[in-house]
Amino acid sequence: MAGLLMQRVAILGATGSIGASALDVVARHPDTMRASVLAAGSNVAALVALCRRHRPDDAVIADESGFAALRDGLADAGLATRAHAGAAAIDALASGPGCDTVVAAIVGAAGLDSTLAAARAGKRLLLANKESLVLAGELMMAAAREGGAQIIPIDSEHNAIFQCLPRDGAGAGVRRIVLTASGGPFRGRDRATLANVTPAQAVAHPKWSMGPKISVDSATLMNKGLEVIEACHLFGLPPERVDVLVHPQSLVHSLVEFIDGSTLAQLGLPDMRTALAVGLGWPERVQSGVAGLDLLAHGRLDFEAPDTAAFPCLRLAYAALAAGGTAPAVLNAANEVAVSAFLQGRVGFLSIPVLVEETLEALPARAADTLDALREADNEARRVASAALSRHPA
Ligand code: NAD
Ligand code: MG
């Protein structure tokens, strides 16, 4: 990174799938970058194991009851890493002097405050936590502008678009962007055959290895819906200029169409380390550990339209975007409740879009120009969706 001898990287969500990929890339560049802060939700043993390997200055566990175990685990390992606990400690470390770059990879709305804190503090923000943009995209983009933070999207589609857009004056000459979608494990199936699918089937993604929540979102196509909202905020485009194309091979990560008829795409193997290396090295290219793409070996690239009859979540996300205000926050919160209930075996797969739609209907969009209004909408949607769970038994 230009001007810095050693890029110090805070990895929020270090014990997760993106966290592992980020640590893998950082560890390949011991002379130019190091993990200075590691944060996780509740798995103290996994966090201590990462600290042994990567020796950060600070480690923080969101679950406050894990503090003593973290402190003792670090001491037993003979590490100088300082122990912290609680969400406020994550926010403080994400915005504090101990890091230059923040990898925002906490899952769900739980990642909002730390991502905002990093944006306000002007960090280089490698943004994987799409839910924070869905919930509070305008405020996030304003915080980054005001704080002088550079956001580099890590979601593979948005990272692809970031790479395809001209470096100066992003958006100039762009007609539309096209987000590709793998279609998930149930692509090609009709609604009737989806009633009895299990959480194990839903998280078995054909192309990407990811955490459980985003894997279910990929199976419902809500992931693509969240990504459409994410793209509108990141690239300043209206929803009608953001399209979705199913591409089962997951080799074309997204496309940008310009007004002169040119389309630029970014291709590569489905491995998040590429996007993370783009973020960590930008504007330079750095090694990621990912092999190049052998198109001859893959043979073909297929494309098809998304099936919103079988997978209504994509349609619901566009509707929430059109409704504006608090609607995307409501969509996101209801989806988090529904996905968590599905993963626990409490509701069926087809109940996920039903719960989201019912919650959107129960809570019509209101203006949302403050963080408090959005948090209130998020809380209310969680209450409404949770109360509705019992009406949709598995
Ligand atoms: P994951 O479930 O594997 O990991 C989640 C991480 O968040 C874990 O480290 C967990 O400890 C931490 N966490 C959970 N709740 C927390 C809390 N309240 N406070 C602090 N930390 C908490 O998830 P993932 O697949 O790595 O996804 C992380 C984010 O990145 C999600 O927003 C997801 O949509 C996005 N993303 C992931 C991928 C991918 O390939 N996995 C791709 C694109 C975007
Ligand atoms: Mg994605």
Side-chain angles (χ1 to χ4, degrees):
M1 189 174 165
L4 280 176
L5 288 174
M6 178 66 79
Q7 182 181 185
R8 296 161 310 156
V9 186
I11 302 181
L12 315 182
T15 54
S17 164
I18 291 286
S21 292
L23 284 166
D24 181 290
V25 177
V26 169
R28 287 169 193 275
H29 302 279
D31 297 337
T32 52
M33 47 183 98
R34 69 186 186 90
S36 61
V37 176
L38 297 182
S42 56
N43 189 339
V44 172
L47 182 57
V48 171
L50 292 177
C51 291
R52 281 179 187 269
R53 169 107 207 278
H54 299 280
R55 303 184 163 264
D57 303 324
D58 296 279
V60 48
I61 194 82
D63 176 358
E64 307 210 9
S65 71
F67 176 72
L70 177 60
R71 180 197 57 203
D72 297 348
L74 293 170
D76 290 348
L79 296 170
T81 304
R82 293 176 289 261
H84 312 262
I90 300 183
D91 303 349
L93 288 164
S95 54
C99 63
D100 312 297
T101 296
V102 172
V103 179
I106 293 173
V107 59
L112 174 64
D113 289 350
S114 52
T115 307
L116 263 178
R120 287 195 191 108
K123 303 296 180 184
R124 166 172 290 208
L125 181 53
L126 274 53
L127 184 47
N129 174 245
K130 66 189 86 191
E131 294 91 347
S132 62
L133 274 178
V134 172
L135 210 171
E138 269 131 41
L139 297 177
M140 184 71 68
M141 297 310 289
R145 261 192 318 274
E146 285 154 24
Q150 183 183 22
I151 296 182
I152 302 185
I154 295 304
D155 215 346
S156 56
E157 298 76 6
H158 308 72
N159 189 267
I161 292 160
F162 174 82
Q163 292 185 59
C164 292
L165 286 174
R167 291 204 195 168
D168 45 356
V174 172
R175 183 182 285 150
R176 62 170 187 147
I177 61 179
V178 182
L179 303 179
T180 53
S182 69
F186 307 134
R187 182 180 63 86
R189 291 175 61 159
D190 58 30
R191 203 173 152 70
T193 70
L194 294 172
N196 297 315
V197 300
T198 64
Q201 291 170 318
V203 300
H205 196 278
K207 293 292 171 191
W208 294 96
S209 161
M210 308 181 288
K213 192 265 178 180
I214 181 174
S215 295
V216 174
D217 285 346
S218 298
T220 62
L221 282 199
M222 182 58 94
N223 183 51
K224 213 48 55 181
L226 300 178
E227 290 184 358
V228 168
I229 301 174
E230 181 186 11
C232 290
H233 290 299
L234 283 171
F235 306 116
L237 292 172
E240 59 275 14
R241 288 169 65 200
V242 180
D243 289 334
V244 172
L245 187 61
V246 173
H247 166 48
Q249 289 89 359
S250 296
L251 298 173
V252 178
H253 296 307
S254 279
L255 311 96
V256 179
E257 182 184 312
F258 295 88
I259 51 177
D260 60 4
S262 297
T263 292
L264 297 187
Q266 184 262 346
L267 288 78
L269 293 173
D271 186 321
M272 293 305 293
R273 290 177 301 172
T274 297
L276 286 153
V278 167
L280 289 165
W282 195 258
E284 319 258 310
R285 296 281 176 172
V286 302
Q287 295 279 353
S288 68
V290 181
L293 178 58
D294 179 356
L295 278 174
L296 212 46
H298 288 277
R300 55 186 286 171
L301 303 173
D302 294 307
F303 300 96
E304 60 195 47
D307 178 356
T308 52
F311 303 101
C313 285
L314 180 57
R315 172 178 60 74
L316 293 174
Y318 272 106
L321 198 48
T326 51
V330 168
L331 171 98
N332 179 66
N335 182 58
E336 286 192 30
V337 170
V339 170
S340 159
F342 170 70
L343 284 168
Q344 294 163 33
R346 295 174 61 196
V347 302
F349 185 76
L350 291 178
S351 297
I352 297 172
V354 174
L355 283 160
V356 171
E357 188 155 29
E358 283 182 6
T359 308
L360 283 166
E361 277 166 9
L363 301 171
R366 287 196 313 265
D369 27 26
T370 67
L371 202 49
D372 283 346
L374 291 165
R375 275 195 232 281
E376 165 74 29
D378 173 275
N379 283 332
E380 229 180 331
R382 282 171 204 274
R383 274 197 301 276
V384 169
S386 302
L389 290 176
S390 58
R391 281 190 277 112
H392 300 277

